[in-house]
Amino acid sequence: MKKVGSFFWGIILGTMAGLIMGMILTPRKEEKIKNILEKKTEELRDNLQEIGKKIGKKVHKIKSNFDAKWKKNKIEKIDQVEDELGT
């Protein structure tokens, strides 16, 4: 009877000790994972910002080229109309 009682007390105390140790060690693992995820998120954010800047530069270049062509075409048409009217 004494052996059976000691066995059950051992299981109960061992389970409690295991749960307590698990709770103590778990936040450290979560912090490591959280730090890794934060670093990866920052890298991703930086890469997306760089890509956005590159796209913005290309769009600005296309827009300025389009504006230049538009103004040139507009001036040519105005000159053509003036030549036809003789003014």
Side-chain angles (χ1 to χ4, degrees):
M1 205 59 169
K2 289 184 180 181
K3 290 182 180 179
V4 174
S6 297
F7 176 74
F8 285 120
W9 278 111
I11 290 176
I12 293 170
L13 291 176
T15 304
M16 290 174 63
L19 290 173
I20 291 170
M21 291 301 292
M23 286 188 284
I24 291 172
L25 296 176
T26 301
R28 292 182 186 163
K29 291 180 183 177
E30 288 177 357
E31 288 176 10
K32 288 180 183 177
I33 293 171
K34 186 177 177 183
N35 288 338
I36 291 170
L37 288 176
E38 285 179 4
K39 289 178 185 177
K40 294 295 181 182
T41 304
E42 288 176 11
E43 289 176 13
L44 239 170
R45 187 179 310 126
D46 293 341
N47 289 339
L48 288 174
Q49 285 178 351
E50 289 177 21
I51 291 170
K53 287 178 183 178
K54 289 179 183 178
I55 291 172
K57 287 179 183 178
K58 288 183 180 182
V59 167
H60 181 69
K61 184 178 178 181
I62 291 169
K63 182 182 174 190
S64 63
N65 288 342
F66 182 74
D67 287 342
K69 288 179 182 178
W70 180 270
K71 288 178 183 177
K72 182 180 176 184
N73 192 16
K74 187 176 178 182
I75 291 171
E76 287 176 1
K77 286 186 179 183
I78 290 172
D79 289 342
Q80 185 181 10
V81 169
E82 286 178 351
D83 289 342
E84 289 176 5
L85 294 174
T87 56

